[in-house]
Amino acid sequence: PRELQEPRGVTETGFRYFTALSCSSRSDCTAVGIYQDGLGRDRDFAVTERRGVWGTALSMVAVSPSQTTTFGILVLSCASAGNCAAGASYNTPSHPGAFVISETDGTWGRARKVRSGPGAISCAAPGECTAALAGGYLLSEIRGTWRKAFPVPGLAALSHDQPASNFGVISCPSPGNCAAAGSYAGSAVSGRSFVVTERHGIWGRAQPVRSGSGAGLFITALSCPSAGNCVAGGDAYPLAGGFGSFAVTEAHGSWGTAGSLPGTFKLGGGIEELVCPAAGACSAAGLLDGGATFVSTEKNGTWHNAQVITGAGPGSSLAAGSLSCGAAGSCVLAGDILVGDNSQAAAAVQVNGRWGPARILRGVRAADRGRDSGIDAVSCPARSRCTAVGHFAGPRLPPNLFAVVQR
């Protein structure tokens, strides 16, 4: 792994970790994360790789300093090298806040305050990004300028004026063509999910996701390989009990009915990550009740039985945090494996549609010097061309941030 220069002000005891990574090519990436300074305050940072060389991590936003400042998860999307957008929510003693910020040609601009925290951002082209804001609002950047946030059309009527309880997934395959999804309070025994689509710059009205079974549906992931072709997935809670995962597909601009992913009801677990490199070809990953990870693969429009990702050693399994696919049937799922009393950074690789076992990343065990390690995020801009970023934790042996490239 390549050791990365940490942001100024990080202390020996303060934590630091990545929350997102986006790579436009194998040697051009941007990552964002959180660290704790010497006064115990949360700080954001961004670090950029250009032509294979990582720079020094720098803070993007100057929030009113406070002992109790805390950040939410930073989200990130990059349309091309040096052209990204990021955002997060934060809390200070006086008030909560949220921001979005854009990077243009390698330089981060000034943060813009927004009404609520962005759950996700998707950039289809430089200066053309859209964010899904908490509470059911959309915010668009058009030709490099962030516009005014507006409520999801039709959501108030659909939810009987109840705010979206979870609105944090969005995917924009091209400028003016996006899909977003979330959940809102439903009946006393189940939640309800909705999807909303933008076509040629005009947002349609939110529509409910139908399951045909009366199950409560909670969307947690969304991916659109092309305009009008998307897949959303999440957790399904059948009224009679049990726990499973579901997927619902938009084909040629029309959303279908949600269906349970084969094998997930028996395993127990919910989708955390979903990536669709092409229409009818997706990979999903989620956590099981016991902490292990499962994957499910769609091929030619059909979902196959979910499988648990095991470790290379007996009894070990992958606790995954990030999934990325460079092409259909070519993905990487990264996280960590528990080895004795230590967590070790590990990843499972999918080749030609078949998943292998999770393996500890080459060189990490030698570099961790007895500390825990884990992969926080992975990004695959092309087949077998992935970059992952992660952190070490434990006795202070600087630096604690690292990047590793698939070879």
Side-chain angles (χ1 to χ4, degrees):
R2 301 183 186 181
E3 297 176 339
L4 303 183
Q5 294 298 313
E6 297 181 335
R8 296 174 184 173
V10 68
T11 66
E12 292 188 7
T13 58
F15 62 80
R16 71 280 282 155
Y17 58 91
F18 294 99
T19 62
L21 169 70
S22 183
C23 299
S24 55
S25 72
R26 187 175 185 175
S27 57
D28 291 283
C29 302
T30 295
V32 296
I34 306 286
Y35 73 96
Q36 193 173 60
D37 68 14
L39 297 178
R41 302 173 297 197
D42 284 5
R43 298 288 181 164
D44 66 325
F45 71 86
V47 59
T48 299
E49 179 194 32
R50 290 292 175 265
R51 301 181 181 90
V53 179
W54 285 93
T56 300
L58 301 172
S59 181
M60 292 184 296
V61 182
V63 178
S64 301
S66 166
Q67 185 72 23
T68 55
T69 296
T70 57
F71 274 91
I73 297 299
L74 276 105
V75 295
L76 171 74
S77 180
C78 298
S80 61
N83 294 284
C84 306
S89 60
Y90 60 87
N91 280 299
T92 69
S94 58
H95 65 278
F99 68 89
V100 292
I101 186 170
S102 298
E103 181 191 31
T104 304
D105 296 328
T107 301
W108 288 98
R110 297 185 63 180
R112 172 182 167 174
K113 291 185 178 181
V114 294
R115 62 174 300 127
S116 56
I121 291 178
S122 183
C123 297
E128 302 286 338
C129 305
T130 304
L133 304 184
Y137 286 81
L138 291 160
L139 176 69
S140 295
E141 181 190 33
I142 301 174
R143 293 186 290 276
T145 300
W146 288 99
R147 306 303 172 92
K148 184 178 180 180
F150 59 93
V152 172
L155 180 58
L158 186 66
S159 64
H160 302 291
D161 292 320
Q162 294 296 314
S165 58
N166 176 34
F167 184 53
V169 291
I170 191 167
S171 182
C172 302
S174 59
N177 294 286
C178 302
S183 304
Y184 58 90
S187 67
V189 292
S190 67
R192 294 290 182 262
S193 285
F194 67 91
V195 290
V196 61
T197 302
E198 179 193 31
R199 296 187 182 93
H200 307 300
I202 300 175
W203 285 93
R205 294 179 66 82
Q207 54 184 296
V209 176
R210 313 284 185 185
S211 69
S213 66
L217 303 178
F218 298 86
I219 291 179
T220 55
L222 172 69
S223 182
C224 300
S226 60
N229 294 288
C230 305
V231 175
D235 308 336
Y237 293 80
L239 301 181
F243 183 78
S245 298
F246 74 92
V248 57
T249 299
E250 180 192 34
H252 307 296
S254 297
W255 287 94
T257 300
S260 179
L261 295 187
T264 59
F265 183 88
K266 182 178 179 180
L267 288 173
I271 289 177
E272 301 287 337
E273 302 275 337
L274 175 65
V275 181
C276 301
C282 302
S283 290
L287 295 177
L288 302 179
D289 294 340
T293 301
F294 74 88
V295 291
S296 187
T297 301
E298 181 194 32
K299 185 177 180 180
N300 297 325
T302 300
W303 287 94
H304 296 268
N305 280 334
Q307 66 180 95
V308 177
I309 296 294
T310 59
S316 62
S317 59
L318 179 69
S322 184
L323 170 71
S324 186
C325 302
S330 178
C331 305
V332 169
L333 182 63
D336 63 79
I337 289 177
L338 187 63
V339 180
D341 294 329
N342 290 97
S343 296
Q344 301 281 311
V349 178
Q350 184 193 42
V351 179
N352 297 325
R354 297 178 64 88
W355 284 97
R359 300 183 184 277
I360 297 172
L361 298 187
R362 185 182 305 172
V364 170
R365 181 173 288 178
D368 64 21
R369 301 167 189 157
R371 296 171 291 176
D372 290 332
S373 62
I375 296 297
D376 299 321
V378 63
S379 181
C380 303
R383 184 187 301 271
S384 302
R385 295 290 186 270
C386 301
T387 296
V389 291
H391 67 279
F392 297 118
R396 173 66 170 162
L397 290 170
N400 273 12
L401 300 176
F402 67 86
V404 62
V405 177
Q406 183 183 25
R407 301 189 186 282

